[in-house]
Every structure is written in C-alpha cells, then in structure tokens.
Amino acid sequence: MTGDNGSGRTEQSAKTSGTSRSTQVGRDQYRDQINNYGPAPSVITLIVALVIVAVVAITVWTGAWHSGASVEPTPGPATPTRPAPAPEKSRTPSTEPSPTPAAKKPAGTVPDGYLGTWEGEFTKPGEKATTLRRIVIRKGAVGAEIADVLTSSEDSLCQSNGTLVSAGTLLVVAPKLTSGIPSDLCTASGDITLRRHGNTGITWKSEGTTVTLHRPASAARTIPAQFLGTWTAQDGNDPTSSVRMTINQGTPGSARAEFVWEGDAHHCEGFSVLASISDVLRFSPETVTKSEPERFCAQTPTRIMSPPQGDTTHVEWVAPSDGSAPRAFTFNRID
C-alpha cells in the first residue's frame, strides 16, 4: 500500500509540474506576441481610424468636383423645353404698284380784285361816335398772313394781323390782335368774312356787324407834307393853357402825333397813333406819357385833323357817346 501511494504522489507531482510549465510557456508566448505586434486594438482606436478614412474620402471627392471631374447629381424632375420656333416663311415682294396718293388741291389765293386798302365808317347802335374799319389786303395763300386790320373807335385803336382761312367767292380772314390803345379795350374778334361788290367796294361782316368798305379817296400811303410840322393852339376851356402838336411822317398804325399841354398848374405829354389817311387824318386816343402833377393828365379821345388852309388847321375830337359837344381846336403852324 505504501508503495502505491508514493507512486501516486509522484504522478500527481509530475502532472502539476507539467501544468505549471504549460502555463509558463503560454505566458511567454503572449509576452512575445505583445512585443512583436503590440496590444490588441481598442474601440477608440477603431473610431479614430474610421474618422480618418471619412476625411480622406471627402477630400478626394471635393478635389474631384473642383477639378471638373464628372459627378453625377441626383436626378430631379425633368424641365420641359419649348420647341424651337418655326422659321418664318420668306415673303415675296409684292409686284403690285403702291397706291398713288391723291393729288392735293392747290391752296386758295387772294383774288386780285381784293388787293389794296379798304375803309369804311359806321355808327354802333346806341352811339353817336363813328367807328372806322380799315383793312389792307396782300397777295397770299391759305394759311398766310395777308391782311393788316385796324378798328378805330371813340376811345380805342385796335390792330390785328389777318390770316387767310379760305379764298373763293368770299374771303375768310382770322384776325389776331397785335396792339391796342388802350390795351384793356381791345379784344380778339371772330373771323371776318369779306365779299367783293364789283370794283367799288367790299362787305365786311364780323360778329353780327356788317360794314361796306371803299377804297380811300386819297391814294397816299404816307402823310401828305401839308400836315407835317409843329402846330400850337389855345385851350378854349382854360385861357392859361395851350397845346403844342407835332405831326411826324409815317403810315397808319405807326405814325404819331405828339402833344404837349402847358398850364399854370400842369404839364402833360402824350401821343396819338395815326389810324387812317384820306382827305383828313384820323388819330387814336391820346396816350399819356408824362403828367405833372401825377394823375392830373387824362387820356383824351380820338381826334380828326382837317386839311390845313395855309398855316392853319382844325382838329376836333370825335363826338362823345354821351351826346355832349365835341371839343375843337384851331392850330397855327409854328414850324
């Protein structure tokens, strides 16, 4: 029995010794593996590796995009395209002739029988003073200024240019106001219709008024020499007052008679514009240019100058509308 137990302990000891050696050998091998290859990778190491791989992939993809490499975009909905317009058909030039515009009718012109100067006087209803109409007609076509128009009344002188509206059996003239003495009493009038009656006269119709005009008795276009010069007269209403009148050469609408009134307590200056030349001279109302005292001198009405008899002439204001007697002056030539 003793011999068997010793033998058993020997076998057990041998097994234990063998196991210890195997364990030691395993440890030695593991130590060698660590020395050769390092420790086994951890989870953090794996995550770092994945991040690095992702960064590299993004870098490569971005470089390819900027370098023009083909990158397939995600396909979206198809955009409809418009069909190309059909080419226009070439147009063949028309061989038909263009229509010829209708020939314009020649514009009307003033007949010769109307040419020249025409004058006439009339009295407006309810007035005693006469009004003078004067028109000088020139050659011209429709649309042209062919007339100088003048109207002289007791207290005004109005002048216009007349444009030809139509010409035929009748002449129609549209006047345009150019000046007035005084200006506040002159207004633009409507069209003037003229009709010729043989060689003796024409009828003027405008704004309900009809006047027969004739050629003036005097063919003079400027003031006859006998009227020219300086004349003086006494004021019959004031023995201390006198008036000096100077007639200057010119034509109706422009020539002037200048007046200077002198008295013990006043000094007045003014002028009148020539309205017409016939056997007498007709002048506009006087326009005051200087008054001493101020506002003392007033505008005086239209006046008529008779032909001089030697060195004496007679000047009369037209009959006032109020029915009072017109004032009259006898002038003597001093120059």
Short mmCIF file of all heavy atoms in Angstrom, two decimals, residues 199-244:
data_model
loop_
_atom_site.label_atom_id
_atom_site.label_comp_id
_atom_site.label_asym_id
_atom_site.label_seq_id
_atom_site.Cartn_x
_atom_site.Cartn_y
_atom_site.Cartn_z
N ASN A 199 -66.08 146.76 -108.55
CA ASN A 199 -64.81 147.44 -108.28
C ASN A 199 -64.98 148.57 -107.27
O ASN A 199 -64.05 149.34 -107.04
CB ASN A 199 -64.24 148.01 -109.59
CG ASN A 199 -63.85 146.91 -110.56
OD1 ASN A 199 -63.33 145.86 -110.14
ND2 ASN A 199 -64.12 147.13 -111.85
N THR A 200 -66.18 148.68 -106.71
CA THR A 200 -66.44 149.84 -105.86
C THR A 200 -66.28 149.58 -104.37
O THR A 200 -66.03 150.52 -103.61
CB THR A 200 -67.88 150.34 -106.11
OG1 THR A 200 -68.79 149.27 -105.81
CG2 THR A 200 -68.06 150.75 -107.57
N GLY A 201 -66.45 148.35 -103.94
CA GLY A 201 -66.37 148.12 -102.50
C GLY A 201 -66.46 146.65 -102.13
O GLY A 201 -66.67 145.77 -102.97
N ILE A 202 -66.28 146.38 -100.87
CA ILE A 202 -66.43 145.04 -100.32
C ILE A 202 -67.26 145.13 -99.04
O ILE A 202 -67.28 146.18 -98.38
CB ILE A 202 -65.07 144.36 -100.02
CG1 ILE A 202 -64.26 145.17 -99.00
CG2 ILE A 202 -64.27 144.12 -101.29
CD1 ILE A 202 -62.96 144.50 -98.58
N THR A 203 -67.95 144.06 -98.72
CA THR A 203 -68.73 143.99 -97.49
C THR A 203 -67.93 143.25 -96.43
O THR A 203 -67.42 142.15 -96.67
CB THR A 203 -70.06 143.27 -97.74
OG1 THR A 203 -70.81 143.99 -98.71
CG2 THR A 203 -70.86 143.18 -96.44
N TRP A 204 -67.81 143.85 -95.28
CA TRP A 204 -67.12 143.27 -94.11
C TRP A 204 -68.19 142.79 -93.15
O TRP A 204 -69.06 143.57 -92.74
CB TRP A 204 -66.25 144.35 -93.50
CG TRP A 204 -65.73 144.11 -92.10
CD1 TRP A 204 -66.42 143.67 -91.02
CD2 TRP A 204 -64.40 144.36 -91.64
NE1 TRP A 204 -65.62 143.62 -89.90
CE2 TRP A 204 -64.37 144.04 -90.25
CE3 TRP A 204 -63.25 144.84 -92.25
CZ2 TRP A 204 -63.21 144.18 -89.49
CZ3 TRP A 204 -62.10 144.99 -91.49
CH2 TRP A 204 -62.08 144.65 -90.12
N LYS A 205 -68.15 141.55 -92.76
CA LYS A 205 -69.11 141.02 -91.78
C LYS A 205 -68.33 140.29 -90.70
O LYS A 205 -67.56 139.38 -90.97
CB LYS A 205 -70.10 140.08 -92.46
CG LYS A 205 -71.24 139.65 -91.51
CD LYS A 205 -72.32 138.88 -92.26
CE LYS A 205 -73.48 138.55 -91.34
NZ LYS A 205 -74.57 137.84 -92.04
N SER A 206 -68.59 140.69 -89.45
CA SER A 206 -67.91 140.07 -88.31
C SER A 206 -68.72 140.30 -87.05
O SER A 206 -69.11 141.45 -86.76
CB SER A 206 -66.50 140.64 -88.15
OG SER A 206 -65.88 140.15 -86.98
N GLU A 207 -68.97 139.22 -86.31
CA GLU A 207 -69.65 139.30 -85.02
C GLU A 207 -70.95 140.10 -85.09
O GLU A 207 -71.23 140.95 -84.24
CB GLU A 207 -68.71 139.90 -83.96
CG GLU A 207 -67.46 139.05 -83.73
CD GLU A 207 -66.56 139.60 -82.63
OE1 GLU A 207 -66.58 140.83 -82.42
OE2 GLU A 207 -65.85 138.81 -81.99
N GLY A 208 -71.72 139.83 -86.12
CA GLY A 208 -73.04 140.45 -86.23
C GLY A 208 -73.04 141.85 -86.80
O GLY A 208 -74.10 142.46 -86.95
N THR A 209 -71.87 142.41 -87.12
CA THR A 209 -71.79 143.75 -87.69
C THR A 209 -71.42 143.67 -89.16
O THR A 209 -70.48 142.95 -89.55
CB THR A 209 -70.74 144.60 -86.95
OG1 THR A 209 -71.09 144.67 -85.56
CG2 THR A 209 -70.65 146.00 -87.54
N THR A 210 -72.17 144.41 -90.00
CA THR A 210 -71.88 144.45 -91.44
C THR A 210 -71.53 145.89 -91.82
O THR A 210 -72.29 146.83 -91.50
CB THR A 210 -73.08 143.97 -92.25
OG1 THR A 210 -73.40 142.62 -91.87
CG2 THR A 210 -72.77 143.99 -93.74
N VAL A 211 -70.41 146.07 -92.49
CA VAL A 211 -69.93 147.39 -92.91
C VAL A 211 -69.51 147.31 -94.37
O VAL A 211 -68.89 146.33 -94.79
CB VAL A 211 -68.73 147.86 -92.06
CG1 VAL A 211 -68.35 149.29 -92.41
CG2 VAL A 211 -69.03 147.72 -90.58
N THR A 212 -69.83 148.35 -95.13
CA THR A 212 -69.38 148.44 -96.52
C THR A 212 -68.11 149.28 -96.56
O THR A 212 -68.10 150.43 -96.06
CB THR A 212 -70.45 149.05 -97.42
OG1 THR A 212 -71.62 148.22 -97.38
CG2 THR A 212 -69.95 149.13 -98.86
N LEU A 213 -67.05 148.71 -97.13
CA LEU A 213 -65.77 149.39 -97.21
C LEU A 213 -65.51 149.84 -98.65
O LEU A 213 -65.88 149.15 -99.62
CB LEU A 213 -64.63 148.46 -96.77
CG LEU A 213 -64.80 147.76 -95.41
CD1 LEU A 213 -63.55 146.92 -95.10
CD2 LEU A 213 -65.04 148.77 -94.28
N HIS A 214 -64.83 150.98 -98.78
CA HIS A 214 -64.47 151.51 -100.11
C HIS A 214 -62.99 151.85 -100.10
O HIS A 214 -62.36 151.99 -99.04
CB HIS A 214 -65.29 152.76 -100.43
CG HIS A 214 -66.77 152.53 -100.43
ND1 HIS A 214 -67.44 152.00 -101.51
CD2 HIS A 214 -67.70 152.77 -99.47
CE1 HIS A 214 -68.73 151.91 -101.23
NE2 HIS A 214 -68.92 152.37 -99.99
N ARG A 215 -62.46 152.03 -101.29
CA ARG A 215 -61.08 152.49 -101.37
C ARG A 215 -61.05 153.96 -100.94
O ARG A 215 -61.91 154.74 -101.31
CB ARG A 215 -60.55 152.33 -102.80
CG ARG A 215 -60.50 150.87 -103.25
CD ARG A 215 -59.71 150.72 -104.53
NE ARG A 215 -59.78 149.34 -105.03
CZ ARG A 215 -59.00 148.35 -104.60
NH1 ARG A 215 -58.11 148.60 -103.67
NH2 ARG A 215 -59.12 147.14 -105.11
N PRO A 216 -60.04 154.33 -100.08
CA PRO A 216 -60.00 155.71 -99.60
C PRO A 216 -59.83 156.70 -100.73
O PRO A 216 -59.23 156.39 -101.78
CB PRO A 216 -58.79 155.71 -98.66
CG PRO A 216 -57.98 154.52 -99.06
CD PRO A 216 -58.93 153.51 -99.58
N ALA A 217 -60.38 157.91 -100.52
CA ALA A 217 -60.32 158.95 -101.56
C ALA A 217 -58.88 159.31 -101.90
O ALA A 217 -58.54 159.60 -103.05
CB ALA A 217 -61.09 160.18 -101.12
N SER A 218 -58.02 159.32 -100.89
CA SER A 218 -56.62 159.64 -101.12
C SER A 218 -55.83 158.35 -101.31
O SER A 218 -55.99 157.39 -100.55
CB SER A 218 -56.05 160.42 -99.94
OG SER A 218 -54.66 160.60 -100.08
N ALA A 219 -55.01 158.34 -102.33
CA ALA A 219 -54.17 157.17 -102.59
C ALA A 219 -52.85 157.25 -101.83
O ALA A 219 -51.98 156.38 -101.99
CB ALA A 219 -53.90 157.04 -104.08
N ALA A 220 -52.68 158.28 -101.00
CA ALA A 220 -51.42 158.47 -100.29
C ALA A 220 -51.19 157.34 -99.29
O ALA A 220 -52.09 156.95 -98.55
CB ALA A 220 -51.42 159.81 -99.59
N ARG A 221 -49.99 156.81 -99.28
CA ARG A 221 -49.61 155.78 -98.31
C ARG A 221 -48.95 156.38 -97.08
O ARG A 221 -48.85 155.72 -96.05
CB ARG A 221 -48.67 154.76 -98.96
CG ARG A 221 -49.34 153.95 -100.05
CD ARG A 221 -48.34 153.07 -100.76
NE ARG A 221 -49.00 152.30 -101.80
CZ ARG A 221 -49.18 150.99 -101.79
NH1 ARG A 221 -48.75 150.30 -100.75
NH2 ARG A 221 -49.77 150.37 -102.78
N THR A 222 -48.47 157.59 -97.20
CA THR A 222 -47.87 158.30 -96.07
C THR A 222 -48.56 159.66 -95.93
O THR A 222 -49.33 160.08 -96.80
CB THR A 222 -46.36 158.51 -96.28
OG1 THR A 222 -46.14 159.24 -97.50
CG2 THR A 222 -45.63 157.17 -96.36
N ILE A 223 -48.30 160.32 -94.82
CA ILE A 223 -48.97 161.59 -94.54
C ILE A 223 -48.54 162.66 -95.54
O ILE A 223 -47.33 162.87 -95.75
CB ILE A 223 -48.63 162.05 -93.11
CG1 ILE A 223 -49.12 161.01 -92.09
CG2 ILE A 223 -49.25 163.42 -92.82
CD1 ILE A 223 -48.73 161.32 -90.66
N PRO A 224 -49.48 163.32 -96.19
CA PRO A 224 -49.11 164.41 -97.10
C PRO A 224 -48.32 165.51 -96.38
O PRO A 224 -48.54 165.79 -95.19
CB PRO A 224 -50.47 164.94 -97.59
CG PRO A 224 -51.39 163.77 -97.45
CD PRO A 224 -50.92 163.06 -96.21
N ALA A 225 -47.40 166.10 -97.08
CA ALA A 225 -46.48 167.07 -96.47
C ALA A 225 -47.19 168.24 -95.82
O ALA A 225 -46.68 168.82 -94.84
CB ALA A 225 -45.50 167.57 -97.54
N GLN A 226 -48.36 168.63 -96.32
CA GLN A 226 -49.04 169.81 -95.78
C GLN A 226 -49.46 169.64 -94.31
O GLN A 226 -49.67 170.62 -93.60
CB GLN A 226 -50.28 170.12 -96.63
CG GLN A 226 -51.28 168.98 -96.67
CD GLN A 226 -52.49 169.29 -97.54
OE1 GLN A 226 -52.79 170.45 -97.81
NE2 GLN A 226 -53.20 168.26 -97.99
N PHE A 227 -49.59 168.36 -93.88
CA PHE A 227 -49.97 168.12 -92.49
C PHE A 227 -48.76 168.11 -91.54
O PHE A 227 -48.94 168.23 -90.32
CB PHE A 227 -50.66 166.76 -92.36
CG PHE A 227 -52.04 166.71 -92.96
CD1 PHE A 227 -52.24 166.24 -94.24
CD2 PHE A 227 -53.14 167.11 -92.21
CE1 PHE A 227 -53.52 166.17 -94.78
CE2 PHE A 227 -54.41 167.04 -92.74
CZ PHE A 227 -54.61 166.58 -94.03
N LEU A 228 -47.58 167.94 -92.07
CA LEU A 228 -46.40 167.73 -91.23
C LEU A 228 -45.96 169.03 -90.56
O LEU A 228 -46.22 170.13 -91.05
CB LEU A 228 -45.25 167.18 -92.08
CG LEU A 228 -45.53 165.85 -92.79
CD1 LEU A 228 -44.34 165.44 -93.65
CD2 LEU A 228 -45.88 164.75 -91.78
N GLY A 229 -45.25 168.87 -89.43
CA GLY A 229 -44.70 170.03 -88.73
C GLY A 229 -45.28 170.18 -87.34
O GLY A 229 -45.96 169.29 -86.80
N THR A 230 -44.98 171.36 -86.73
CA THR A 230 -45.41 171.65 -85.36
C THR A 230 -46.46 172.75 -85.39
O THR A 230 -46.30 173.78 -86.07
CB THR A 230 -44.21 172.08 -84.51
OG1 THR A 230 -43.23 171.03 -84.51
CG2 THR A 230 -44.65 172.36 -83.07
N TRP A 231 -47.50 172.53 -84.60
CA TRP A 231 -48.65 173.41 -84.55
C TRP A 231 -48.97 173.72 -83.09
O TRP A 231 -48.70 172.91 -82.21
CB TRP A 231 -49.87 172.74 -85.20
CG TRP A 231 -49.63 172.19 -86.59
CD1 TRP A 231 -48.96 171.06 -86.93
CD2 TRP A 231 -50.05 172.76 -87.82
NE1 TRP A 231 -48.94 170.86 -88.28
CE2 TRP A 231 -49.62 171.91 -88.86
CE3 TRP A 231 -50.77 173.93 -88.16
CZ2 TRP A 231 -49.87 172.17 -90.20
CZ3 TRP A 231 -51.03 174.18 -89.51
CH2 TRP A 231 -50.58 173.32 -90.51
N THR A 232 -49.57 174.91 -82.84
CA THR A 232 -49.93 175.27 -81.48
C THR A 232 -51.33 175.87 -81.45
O THR A 232 -51.80 176.47 -82.43
CB THR A 232 -48.92 176.28 -80.88
OG1 THR A 232 -49.23 176.49 -79.49
CG2 THR A 232 -48.95 177.60 -81.61
N ALA A 233 -51.99 175.67 -80.29
CA ALA A 233 -53.36 176.19 -80.13
C ALA A 233 -53.60 176.52 -78.67
O ALA A 233 -52.91 176.00 -77.77
CB ALA A 233 -54.37 175.16 -80.62
N GLN A 234 -54.60 177.38 -78.42
CA GLN A 234 -55.03 177.72 -77.07
C GLN A 234 -56.13 176.74 -76.65
O GLN A 234 -56.93 176.29 -77.48
CB GLN A 234 -55.55 179.15 -76.99
CG GLN A 234 -54.48 180.20 -77.19
CD GLN A 234 -53.44 180.18 -76.09
OE1 GLN A 234 -53.76 180.10 -74.90
NE2 GLN A 234 -52.17 180.27 -76.47
N ASP A 235 -56.11 176.42 -75.36
CA ASP A 235 -57.17 175.57 -74.81
C ASP A 235 -58.36 176.46 -74.50
O ASP A 235 -58.31 177.32 -73.63
CB ASP A 235 -56.67 174.87 -73.54
CG ASP A 235 -57.67 173.88 -72.97
OD1 ASP A 235 -58.83 173.88 -73.43
OD2 ASP A 235 -57.29 173.11 -72.08
N GLY A 236 -59.45 176.26 -75.26
CA GLY A 236 -60.62 177.12 -75.09
C GLY A 236 -61.24 177.01 -73.72
O GLY A 236 -61.93 177.94 -73.27
N ASN A 237 -61.01 175.92 -73.02
CA ASN A 237 -61.60 175.77 -71.68
C ASN A 237 -60.73 176.40 -70.60
O ASN A 237 -61.18 176.54 -69.46
CB ASN A 237 -61.79 174.30 -71.35
CG ASN A 237 -62.87 173.66 -72.21
OD1 ASN A 237 -63.65 174.37 -72.85
ND2 ASN A 237 -62.91 172.34 -72.24
N ASP A 238 -59.48 176.76 -70.93
CA ASP A 238 -58.58 177.33 -69.93
C ASP A 238 -57.68 178.35 -70.62
O ASP A 238 -56.74 177.98 -71.33
CB ASP A 238 -57.74 176.22 -69.29
CG ASP A 238 -56.81 176.74 -68.18
OD1 ASP A 238 -56.79 177.97 -67.95
OD2 ASP A 238 -56.11 175.90 -67.58
N PRO A 239 -57.95 179.64 -70.46
CA PRO A 239 -57.17 180.68 -71.15
C PRO A 239 -55.68 180.64 -70.83
O PRO A 239 -54.86 181.15 -71.61
CB PRO A 239 -57.80 181.98 -70.66
CG PRO A 239 -59.17 181.60 -70.21
CD PRO A 239 -59.03 180.21 -69.67
N THR A 240 -55.33 180.03 -69.67
CA THR A 240 -53.91 179.98 -69.30
C THR A 240 -53.22 178.74 -69.86
O THR A 240 -52.02 178.55 -69.62
CB THR A 240 -53.76 179.97 -67.78
OG1 THR A 240 -54.30 178.76 -67.23
CG2 THR A 240 -54.49 181.17 -67.16
N SER A 241 -53.95 177.89 -70.57
CA SER A 241 -53.39 176.61 -71.04
C SER A 241 -53.28 176.63 -72.57
O SER A 241 -54.15 177.17 -73.27
CB SER A 241 -54.29 175.45 -70.61
OG SER A 241 -53.80 174.23 -71.13
N SER A 242 -52.22 176.02 -73.06
CA SER A 242 -52.00 175.87 -74.50
C SER A 242 -51.57 174.44 -74.81
O SER A 242 -51.15 173.70 -73.92
CB SER A 242 -50.94 176.86 -74.98
OG SER A 242 -49.68 176.55 -74.39
N VAL A 243 -51.66 174.07 -76.10
CA VAL A 243 -51.27 172.74 -76.51
C VAL A 243 -50.41 172.84 -77.77
O VAL A 243 -50.69 173.63 -78.67
CB VAL A 243 -52.50 171.82 -76.77
CG1 VAL A 243 -53.45 172.46 -77.79
CG2 VAL A 243 -52.08 170.44 -77.24
N ARG A 244 -49.35 172.07 -77.80
CA ARG A 244 -48.47 172.02 -78.97
C ARG A 244 -48.58 170.63 -79.59
O ARG A 244 -48.50 169.61 -78.90
CB ARG A 244 -47.02 172.31 -78.56
CG ARG A 244 -46.08 172.41 -79.77
CD ARG A 244 -44.69 172.90 -79.37
NE ARG A 244 -43.94 171.89 -78.64
CZ ARG A 244 -43.63 171.96 -77.35
NH1 ARG A 244 -44.06 172.99 -76.62
NH2 ARG A 244 -42.93 171.01 -76.75
#
